[in-house]
Amino acid sequence: MTDAAQPEGYEETAFTADRIPRQAPPPPKGKLGKLGDAFDIARLPWGNYVGVNPSEFEYEYAGGWYRDYEYMGEKDFHDFNHLNELRWSKFVDEDISLIYRFFRFWFVIISHGFSFIGPGGGKGGGWFFSAIAMVVLLLVLGLELFDPSESFPFGALSVPLSIFAICGLATICKCLFEKYSIRFYKSNQNWSDDIAFCRRSGLVKSFQGNFPFYEFDAFIEMSADMKGNQYHTLKVRHRYPQHSKHPNWGVRGPLEFTFPTDTGSIAERYAMWDMLSRYMDVSQPLPDIPRLEPFRHLDPTTRAYDEAGKRGRPATYWRDLYAKVDEKELKRLRDEHHEKVNAAPWGSRPDLMAQSVPGYEDSYTAEPEDVNAYAHAPTKNVRFVERPEAGSSESASDQHDSQR
């Protein structure tokens, strides 16, 4: 790899795509592997960033982050948010009892499940249960009124009215929970700095130890339920599980992290890996997403990038947008961004890690031109193509600017 200078303001171990060192070959496939019904359908390439962020509600076009930011203020939002310019935390340490956790779980399940208001302001389960109650009522009324000697069955009205009341109460509880839970969250919940992807150091911290980011690979993992429905998950897994075994787990499974993404497409998983890689690469500015905007000036590379006018947006672009946008407009923007994610050139890119790990290119070298086709293969005629050999990586700024 090229011997590029380390950007100032970061530790010597900080990660950049053009400073990946030579590493040992991975263990043979199947050795020290993972257990379970899921299996990998793709290993995602390193480097050659596309520069498109995922549509998942935590990162683009949803208002939850702005509510938290308004209530907490910039200082507390920085400390209590799972994502800032220092680390992307993957573990929550809550100062609450098991009894509270139990009751909170069922409170959320019931209040959100029976609410008339669903995720994103849509229709919730309350409408479904109310519709069932109305159908039952109409059937009862039809049977009762069929006999003229019978009086009007006022007692039958108690069932749908009770359902309406329960769903109405659940809606109120859900609204109160969403409005006031942030106060409890700020006081009792904290994202751990010890289980995290750390930008300044280039390390991934875990219970099993701290490991360089370049020792991890990203996989699309597929599982299926009894009905044949497929589920795809982004897993970021340590390449050398023999060195990261949990002391109490033996060889039960490798060290890996799951990253939630929008359920709409496999391309969203590629976008999540692209964003995580750019987040860890200190030659790149921080991904331009709402949750990171308040901290852009705290990161050396991002501050220089923004001061040079390369961002092309006001310093408070996301905060100004969310201060005035409504849910309908957010949905429109979210749908447009999802189309952008699906249209991005994810397939058949060179893999920089093949230059640093012997035997790395021996598996997962072919992928569909349209990565969403993974969900259809082999039931449909999908054209797989080999990844080209990796040459010298483009400069980080050129890669990022080309995607704007």
Side-chain angles (χ1 to χ4, degrees), residues 41-214:
I41 62 173
R43 187 185 66 203
L44 279 56
W46 276 87
N48 296 285
Y49 306 125
V50 175
V52 176
N53 301 317
S55 305
E56 207 273 329
F57 67 91
E58 289 258 348
Y59 307 108
E60 295 268 7
Y61 303 118
W65 79 274
Y66 184 70
R67 180 198 63 194
D68 298 351
Y69 177 80
E70 275 196 312
Y71 175 75
M72 290 185 174
E74 188 165 310
K75 173 62 172 65
D76 286 340
F77 185 68
H78 177 278
D79 295 340
F80 287 88
N81 188 27
H82 75 286
L83 179 62
N84 59 32
E85 88 287 357
L86 299 176
R87 54 100 176 107
W88 188 327
S89 182
K90 296 297 293 178
F91 182 80
V92 182
D93 182 21
E94 288 188 295
D95 184 21
I96 56 176
S97 66
L98 290 176
I99 295 177
Y100 178 86
R101 293 173 193 258
F102 175 82
F103 283 105
R104 182 183 63 181
F105 172 81
W106 286 109
F107 175 82
V108 172
I109 290 294
I110 294 173
S111 63
H112 288 56
F114 285 84
S115 171
F116 287 116
I117 303 175
K123 292 184 178 180
W127 293 104
F128 173 76
F129 295 113
S130 299
I132 293 179
M134 288 300 300
V135 170
V136 172
L137 174 63
L138 293 174
L139 291 175
V140 171
L141 288 178
L143 293 174
E144 293 289 342
L145 295 178
F146 184 76
D147 186 354
S149 63
E150 294 289 337
S151 59
F152 186 84
F154 290 100
L157 295 175
S158 62
V159 175
L161 290 177
S162 298
I163 297 295
F164 291 149
I166 292 172
C167 293
L169 180 61
T171 303
I172 295 173
C173 290
K174 180 178 184 292
C175 293
L176 292 175
F177 178 85
E178 291 180 345
K179 182 177 181 181
Y180 294 106
S181 63
I182 188 61
R183 299 184 179 180
F184 178 87
Y185 163 87
K186 181 176 180 293
S187 302
N188 298 275
Q189 181 170 282
N190 190 22
W191 296 91
S192 173
D193 292 334
D194 299 322
I195 312 295
F197 288 72
C198 302
R199 177 173 167 91
R200 293 285 177 94
S201 65
L203 298 178
V204 179
K205 296 183 176 182
S206 71
F207 289 124
Q208 288 95 312
N210 302 334
F211 305 94
F213 177 60
Y214 53 73

Side-chain angles (χ1 to χ4, degrees), residues 300-315:
T301 299
T302 310
R303 182 172 59 249
Y305 182 87
D306 291 352
E307 289 176 352
K310 295 182 179 180
R311 184 189 182 195
R313 288 174 169 175

Side-chain angles (χ1 to χ4, degrees), residues 229-248:
N229 298 315
Q230 294 183 11
Y231 300 93
H232 301 94
T233 308
L234 174 66
K235 298 285 188 176
V236 178
R237 188 177 306 145
H238 192 227
R239 190 181 307 121
Y240 308 104
Q242 67 272 29
H243 301 309
S244 57
K245 292 184 295 184
H246 193 283
N248 298 323

Side-chain angles (χ1 to χ4, degrees), residues 279-342:
Y279 172 82
M280 291 296 290
D281 190 336
V282 297
S283 69
Q284 296 272 304
L286 290 170
D288 196 351
I289 58 175
R291 283 187 178 272
L292 284 173
E293 183 178 67
F295 321 131
R296 292 181 67 87
H297 65 286
L298 301 176
D299 180 73
T301 299
T302 310
R303 182 172 59 249
Y305 182 87
D306 291 352
E307 289 176 352
K310 295 182 179 180
R311 184 189 182 195
R313 288 174 169 175
T316 58
Y317 170 81
W318 289 113
R319 279 169 281 180
D320 295 342
L321 172 66
Y322 282 84
K324 59 185 179 183
V325 74
D326 58 21
E327 182 57 37
K328 183 178 180 180
E329 177 65 8
L330 283 176
K331 183 180 184 305
R332 184 188 69 80
L333 293 171
R334 192 182 305 123
D335 291 342
E336 287 183 357
H337 187 78
H338 184 61
E339 293 179 2
K340 180 180 178 181
V341 172
N342 283 329

